[in-house]
Amino acid sequence: MTADAVDAVVVGAGPAGAAAALELARAGAEVVLLERGPFPGSKNVYGGVVYGRVLDEVLPRWWEEVPVQRWVTRRSTMMMTPTGSVSVDVRSTAWGEAPHNGMTAYRADFDGWLADKAVAAGAELITSTTATGLLRDAGGAITGVRTDRGELPARLVVACDGVNSFLAKEAGLLPRTDPEHLTLGVKETLALPRPVLEERFGLRGDEGVDIEMIGCTGDIPGGGFLYTNRETVGLGVVLSLPGLTASGRRPEEVVADLRRHPSIAPYVRGAEVVEHSAHLIPEGGYRTMPPLAADGLLIAGDAASMCLAAGLWLEGVNFAIGSGLAAGRAAAEAIGGGDTSRRGLAGYRARLADSFVLADHRRLRGAPGFVLSDRVQRAYPGLVCDLAQEVFTVRNPEPKPGLLRSLRRGARRRGIGLPRLAADAWRALRIFG
Ligand SMILES: Cc1cc2nc3c(=O)[nH]c(=O)nc-3n(C[C@H](O)[C@H](O)[C@H](O)COP(=O)(O)OP(=O)(O)OC[C@H]3O[C@@H](n4cnc5c(N)ncnc54)[C@H](O)[C@@H]3O)c2cc1C
């Protein structure tokens, strides 16, 4: 380990850490990027889609070299009951062309690629090394990290160590972990021969599919996802922790149920499970974000609860990169100005407030509670499926019942009064509108 203090140590070579190290190194700072895994991305779990436009400004034409599996050209939102589903299915050839929209990528490839950019800019990457604590000066300001291989003094620490950040807790920024605001993401990677996968999903070349699901997790508030890679499918669920505990079910049972669902089974029939993975997600959003700086420390990405889990969207990597870039820039300014106190680091929050990171979180601050509510989880997917089935069932010689009558009947069957339905529609408009 280095004995002399470096300008900055960034802990965690996920997307937030690599982005922070990239900006610090480009600004001429001496920066160490510390990763506990044997290589960046080795321990990292996610569903599978990265929205890369956040990179436009820092890595122009990134799409020409990013390690992509597939470009997402079909995005479906599926509302489900145990026996049926209704989908809003969006296909766009424009998304198949640069600068693209979403891409599927393996985290070991993507995180490694982004960390290489930081290294090329001058950052030093140290792997297989875990930060085990913070160093402080006599006044309590943070002056580096302790690791399992010795001390690493630095003028500033950027904690990008992911959800439940141990460093943010030690710094007193994350006072306690509230399971209410965490979900557990569980994923199976299923292998299919490429021609079979492309035929089942109607894909050509490097086109890909992203299916987001609601109503597929039984009694447990949450959701599901399916993403196509070149020769694998990522299939998984996101489950509220208190809901999972109360249900007494094992998360892998919930994924197995999803694999057998009549709307999913035809896609994955005969596929071989090649990997199981699980990871926590900070779902609380804007209202649960911790303070973002302490004397000598900034936090970014999942460590600062910046994952956007808002029903229609599950986006963490782009928010991690956006906050990492902002942290790197603010850190470089503070180091240059000789003031790495909390005050000197105030530029970080200001930068985030000017960017999509806080703008999206602020706008969607009511979404997590709404999306995980009982009616949105079960009653409405059921109502939508019932209604669609009713509308498309031809009962001649009976005449067609009319949409409003079907809606009223369906709502009554699901125990939802029309005033409640109208109030929720208004609430959804206010949250997402
Ligand atoms: C099942 C699931 C599905 C998801 N799907 C998507 C999706 O499709 N799209 C999307 O955009 N987001 C998705 N997310 C969210 C996304 O994965 C996260 O928001 C994102 O990875 C956050 O990036 P990060 O850099 O902040 O943290 P991480 O990616 O968690 O990286 C943290 C890094 O820090 C390292 N580290 C931790 N502690 C230490 C330590 N003490 N010392 C040294 N190194 C340390 C870790 O090894 C890791 O490399 C999903 C998450 C889950 C769990």
Side-chain angles (χ1 to χ4, degrees):
M1 286 286 112
T2 323
D4 296 332
V6 293
D7 288 326
V9 57
V10 178
V11 179
L22 174 67
E23 284 300 271
L24 272 156
R26 280 189 176 172
E30 191 186 356
V31 52
V32 169
L33 177 59
L34 198 69
E35 169 56 43
R36 65 181 171 183
F39 54 88
S42 56
K43 288 183 181 283
N44 296 344
V45 176
Y46 85 143
V49 176
V50 175
Y51 296 93
R53 297 297 305 274
V54 62
L55 294 170
D56 284 1
E57 205 189 309
V58 280
L59 298 169
R61 306 187 75 78
W62 52 269
W63 53 86
E64 290 175 355
E65 49 164 316
V66 73
V68 59
Q69 286 286 315
R70 288 181 179 275
W71 299 108
V72 174
T73 51
R74 181 181 157 209
R75 169 74 151 84
S76 243
T77 301
M78 193 183 268
M79 283 153 284
M80 302 164 88
T81 64
T83 54
S85 67
V86 171
S87 293
V88 177
D89 202 38
V90 182
R91 279 180 188 262
S92 165
T93 49
W95 291 343
E97 287 157 22
H100 300 283
N101 183 35
M103 67 181 154
T104 57
Y106 290 135
R107 284 297 294 272
D109 298 341
F110 182 80
D111 290 14
W113 172 79
L114 198 55
D116 281 350
K117 296 292 173 197
V119 171
E124 183 187 358
L125 173 66
I126 300 180
T127 55
S128 302
T129 305
T130 303
T132 54
L134 294 168
L135 302 175
R136 291 182 187 267
D137 66 15
I142 290 155
T143 55
V145 291
R146 252 190 314 277
T147 80
D148 55 355
R149 294 174 54 212
E151 293 188 348
L152 191 48
R155 295 165 75 189
L156 181 72
V157 174
V158 187
C160 300
D161 49 339
V163 60
N164 238 341
S165 165
F166 157 72
L167 294 181
K169 280 186 183 158
E170 189 174 322
L173 298 178
L174 266 185
R176 70 192 168 95
T177 306
D178 189 345
E180 280 287 332
H181 302 130
L182 291 175
T183 53
L184 180 69
V186 190
K187 180 173 108 164
E188 283 181 352
T189 305
L190 302 155
L192 280 172
R194 185 169 181 161
V196 175
L197 186 150
E198 289 177 352
E199 196 186 327
R200 285 187 188 176
F201 289 93
L203 303 174
R204 281 175 315 174
D206 52 8
E207 293 172 344
V209 172
D210 163 354
I211 305 177
E212 304 289 330
M213 306 161 214
I214 191 152
C216 62
T217 50
D219 287 348
I220 310 167
F225 57 83
L226 183 157
Y227 305 125
T228 55
N229 298 308
R230 246 175 254 138
E231 298 188 301
T232 62
V233 170
L235 178 71
V237 292
V238 169
L239 304 169
S240 121
L241 276 189
L244 179 62
T245 311
S247 75
R249 302 191 68 204
R250 296 177 60 81
E252 55 274 23
E253 289 168 19
V254 187
V255 186
D257 283 351
L258 181 58
R259 204 182 332 118
R260 287 190 291 262
H261 189 281
S263 301
I264 299 299
Y267 286 133
V268 296
R269 195 175 46 241
E272 186 195 347
V273 182
V274 290
E275 190 182 85
H276 288 276
S277 46
H279 202 270
L280 291 174
I281 306 176
E283 288 234 0
Y286 191 71
R287 291 180 174 142
T288 61
M289 265 179 210
L292 302 174
D295 292 338
L297 179 105
L298 289 176
I299 54 175
D302 275 13
S305 279
M306 283 176 185
C307 184
L308 184 78
L312 288 176
W313 304 280
L314 172 54
E315 298 173 21
V317 172
N318 47 335
F319 282 85
I321 295 172
S323 57
L325 293 173
R329 287 167 192 158
E333 265 169 28
I335 292 165
D339 181 4
T340 55
S341 70
R342 192 154 62 94
R343 223 154 153 220
L345 294 167
Y348 176 41
R349 192 169 179 105
R351 281 178 184 279
L352 287 178
D354 279 347
S355 80
F356 72 98
V357 177
L358 283 191
D360 285 353
H361 272 290
R362 201 181 305 113
R363 176 189 301 256
L364 293 162
R365 59 191 177 275
F370 183 61
V371 168
L372 293 178
S373 71
D374 210 45
R375 285 191 301 281
V376 174
Q377 285 287 315
R378 275 190 299 274
Y380 291 141
L383 177 59
V384 170
C385 290
D386 291 353
L387 191 61
Q389 197 171 319
E390 172 97 8
V391 167
F392 296 119
T393 301
V394 178
R395 291 208 174 81
N396 300 152
E398 267 180 53
K400 299 196 187 309
L403 269 183
L404 201 58
R405 190 157 154 235
S406 298
L407 177 66
R408 256 200 225 108
R409 216 162 40 197
R412 207 177 312 121
R413 211 177 309 129
R414 297 268 166 191
I416 314 163
L418 286 187
R420 169 51 64 200
L421 186 66
D424 280 342
W426 177 241
R427 191 172 162 205
L429 251 180
R430 280 181 40 221
I431 291 171
F432 295 105

